Amino acid sequence: MAMDPNPKSFPILSYVMARIPSLSPRPPAVEFDIEQPASPPSRHAAQNPSDLSSSSSQIVDDMPHLSDPKVLASMTNAISDVAQTRSILKTLGERPDHEAIDTAKAKLADVEANLSAKLQEIVLSPRPADVEMLEWRALLAERENECRQAADKEKQLYSAIVQLDEMHEAYAKMLKEAEQRLVKIYESAERGLQEEKLDPVSEETNEEVARILQEANEKEIDRINLSSRRLQFLPEEFGRIRGLVVLDISSNQLQNIPDSISGLENLEELNATSNLLESLPDTIGLLQKLKLLNVSGNMLQALPDSICHCRSLVELDVSFNALTYLPTNIGHELVNLEKLSIQLNKIRSLPSSFCDMISLRYLDAHFNELHGLPQAIGKLTQLEYLNLASNFTDLTELPHTFGDLSSLRELDLSNNQIHALPDTFGHLENLEKLNLEQNPLVIPPMEVVNSGLDAVRTFMSKRWLEILEEEDRKRTLEMDEQVQTGWLTRSTTWLKSYISGVSETVSGIVGSPNSPKDPYLEQQL
């Protein structure tokens, strides 16, 4: 099968796996490659099983210690994880092709975009007057949960395709590591050393963790550094170190963080960068004193909503992950956040609540799939650094309120599809660095852009003044028209009133039957 190790690339591993009866009753074909679909064997190859045995005998001739039962047993134990993964892949089937993977990823992105839009609509929906606040919140939570469940159901098939591809990719990496491990075992056998039953690094790590936990029981510890120890799990007991302020578990092989982390009630800094985390525990929201959280370089596809409860957060780094959205209420509650790094993810939009991060000074969102910014982005008046580079064909315009970012000093908009800067761009008086490269800009023209920041700001300021003058001219014309129309209307009304009054007077004098009669006039008539 395609997941069999290629003897040309992994000679020792292929030899060992071919001798595990439960998994490989016969040696794998020499031409099979994990990265490519297996080509049909030729008729000559099918009739020559001796070729397989000759390949095995060749490696034994080159590496005679492989025939030693003890060495072979040691190697078999060392690749148990490879054998287990191989059996799973054998059940799941061949690796999907690139077209199927790309299609699945595109469908997942569409589902996430639709979900984000629906969640935003739910959050912004007005509360009926006859519904109490608590009841309304519960109803919104129920609606949001229904939307997420529907999206999860829709994503199941596409996620399965992507996950199967990731498993094959991980298996390929595992083969390389396993081959290296077997080479070390063989070299040890050649030197007459004992079998490598346990990775020395892992043994040292376990001893270090045990020592730290023992020390924590005896005295108060406020800092722990377990960086680069090849940790595969973090013991639940770490949640009992109540006095811990700083925890560094970066550059390990952690796939999860235990729920017991909620017990670290005094924790202020957590560094879990460069691990294999696919999710964060919901209990992370109980870390009320947490100020710095770094989970960059993992495999996170979403952040738990409870992260919004970490209201003391000042710096949050979730870069180099697979995030497609941020929690809906992240801006409403993380009002103390000053630095946010979300670069190199797959985020398509920022929630409207994002504009409520009134303390935000630094935002790096380059290499995402942003289609735009929230209309109220101008509320972030403390923002000094903004990187929106390399959102490519997705980012085409900026909102009108962009000019209200009065504290902005550095701005990177390179590698996008922006045709025109917002008319208020000239208001950014504190801007010191600007990158507009690789944009099809028309406003301002490229010759102005190439002249530098001052030229751009001058052009946009002049354009803004021209817009204001044009609006003022139109307003003046409208006022003149209203004045003229008003004078004519008043004159006509006065004339009508005057004529009406005279007519009534004459009529009253001449024709009224009840008016007193003048004897002289009667006589003359």
Side-chain angles (χ1 to χ4, degrees), residues 281-346:
D282 287 333
T283 56
I284 198 169
L286 297 176
L287 302 179
Q288 296 294 304
K289 294 185 179 180
L290 192 63
K291 295 180 179 180
L292 187 153
L293 175 60
N294 188 345
V295 289
S296 62
N298 281 283
M299 303 166 64
L300 300 174
Q301 296 185 6
L303 297 177
D305 291 337
S306 61
I307 201 170
C308 299
H309 301 156
C310 299
R311 296 182 178 88
S312 297
L313 268 179
V314 175
E315 182 175 339
L316 175 61
D317 190 342
V318 294
S319 57
F320 290 89
N321 279 285
L323 300 176
T324 55
Y325 66 93
L326 297 177
T328 304
N329 294 321
I330 190 169
H332 293 324
E333 304 192 56
L334 298 187
V335 294
N336 294 309
L337 196 66
E338 296 182 6
K339 185 175 182 179
L340 177 60
S341 301
I342 58 175
Q343 68 268 25
L344 284 110
N345 279 284
K346 301 176 182 179

Side-chain angles (χ1 to χ4, degrees), residues 65 123-124 192 208 233 235 267 273 286 293 338 345 358 421 435 440 496:
H65 290 286
V123 171
L124 296 178
E208 176 73 4
F233 71 95
L267 192 65
T273 184
L286 297 176
L293 175 60
E338 296 182 6
N345 279 284
I358 55 177
L421 296 180
N435 189 350
K496 287 181 179 180

Side-chain angles (χ1 to χ4, degrees), residues 69-360:
K70 292 183 178 180
V71 174
L72 187 61
S74 178
M75 289 183 171
T76 301
N77 291 333
I79 62 168
S80 59
D81 53 349
V82 175
Q84 183 179 4
T85 304
R86 178 178 178 274
S87 64
I88 295 174
L89 288 176
K90 193 172 182 179
T91 304
L92 294 177
E94 298 288 341
R95 185 173 186 172
D97 58 35
H98 292 294
E99 184 176 356
I101 297 166
D102 290 343
T103 301
K105 289 181 177 179
K107 292 289 186 182
L108 288 172
D110 290 340
V111 173
E112 289 292 347
N114 293 334
L115 175 62
S116 179
K118 290 179 180 178
L119 293 178
Q120 186 171 358
E121 182 180 347
I122 290 174
V123 171
L124 296 178
S125 56
R127 178 173 63 90
D130 58 341
V131 178
E132 295 183 358
M133 180 60 71
L134 292 178
E135 182 182 353
W136 179 243
R137 288 180 178 175
L139 183 60
L140 290 182
E142 182 179 353
R143 290 179 183 174
E144 181 177 341
N145 187 45
E146 290 175 354
C147 286
R148 291 192 185 279
Q149 288 180 353
D152 288 342
K153 185 176 181 180
E154 188 176 355
K155 291 191 299 184
Q156 284 180 355
L157 175 61
Y158 308 123
S159 297
I161 295 174
V162 174
Q163 289 171 3
L164 178 58
D165 177 67
E166 291 174 349
M167 287 186 66
H168 276 276
E169 185 68 26
Y171 180 66
K173 182 179 179 182
M174 189 184 296
L175 291 182
K176 295 178 182 178
E177 294 175 349
E179 179 74 11
Q180 293 173 356
R181 195 178 308 131
L182 296 185
V183 170
K184 289 181 179 179
I185 293 176
Y186 186 83
E187 290 174 349
S188 297
E190 281 190 316
R191 292 192 302 267
L193 301 178
Q194 295 182 345
E195 302 170 9
E196 290 187 7
K197 296 182 179 180
L198 183 64
D199 189 339
V201 176
S202 299
E203 189 173 41
E204 292 173 6
T205 298
N206 292 335
E207 292 177 357
E208 176 73 4
V209 171
R211 183 187 65 77
I212 289 175
L213 290 174
Q214 180 62 32
E215 185 179 351
N217 288 330
E218 297 173 355
K219 64 179 182 179
E220 187 171 324
I221 297 178
D222 62 354
R223 291 175 178 268
I224 291 178
N225 186 347
L226 288 173
S227 178
S228 303
R229 306 298 177 89
R230 296 178 66 178
L231 281 175
Q232 295 184 356
F233 71 95
L234 195 66
E236 293 277 347
E237 288 79 6
F238 266 88
R240 301 174 187 169
I241 310 177
R242 306 263 177 203
L244 197 60
V245 176
V246 178
L247 175 59
D248 188 346
I249 51 175
S250 61
S251 301
N252 283 292
Q253 300 170 12
L254 298 173
Q255 296 184 10
N256 58 69
I257 295 176
D259 290 333
S260 63
I261 195 173
S262 60
L264 305 179
E265 54 191 27
N266 292 304
L267 192 65
E268 296 183 5
E269 296 183 19
L270 173 58
N271 185 358
T273 184
S274 300
N275 277 283
L276 303 174
L277 299 175
E278 296 183 358
S279 63
L280 297 178
D282 287 333
T283 56
I284 198 169
L286 297 176
L287 302 179
Q288 296 294 304
K289 294 185 179 180
L290 192 63
K291 295 180 179 180
L292 187 153
L293 175 60
N294 188 345
V295 289
S296 62
N298 281 283
M299 303 166 64
L300 300 174
Q301 296 185 6
L303 297 177
D305 291 337
S306 61
I307 201 170
C308 299
H309 301 156
C310 299
R311 296 182 178 88
S312 297
L313 268 179
V314 175
E315 182 175 339
L316 175 61
D317 190 342
V318 294
S319 57
F320 290 89
N321 279 285
L323 300 176
T324 55
Y325 66 93
L326 297 177
T328 304
N329 294 321
I330 190 169
H332 293 324
E333 304 192 56
L334 298 187
V335 294
N336 294 309
L337 196 66
E338 296 182 6
K339 185 175 182 179
L340 177 60
S341 301
I342 58 175
Q343 68 268 25
L344 284 110
N345 279 284
K346 301 176 182 179
I347 298 174
R348 296 172 63 88
S349 63
L350 300 176
S352 57
S353 68
F354 186 84
C355 302
D356 290 332
M357 291 184 180
I358 55 177
S359 302
L360 196 64

Side-chain angles (χ1 to χ4, degrees), residues 429-441:
E429 297 179 354
N430 291 313
L431 198 61
E432 299 172 355
K433 293 183 180 180
L434 174 63
N435 189 350
L436 295 173
E437 294 179 358
Q438 302 299 318
N439 277 287
L441 277 168

Side-chain angles (χ1 to χ4, degrees), residues 49-69:
S50 60
D51 291 344
L52 303 179
S53 59
S54 63
S55 175
S56 297
S57 62
Q58 179 64 40
I59 190 173
V60 172
D61 290 341
D62 295 338
M63 309 178 76
H65 290 286
L66 288 177
S67 59
D68 187 334

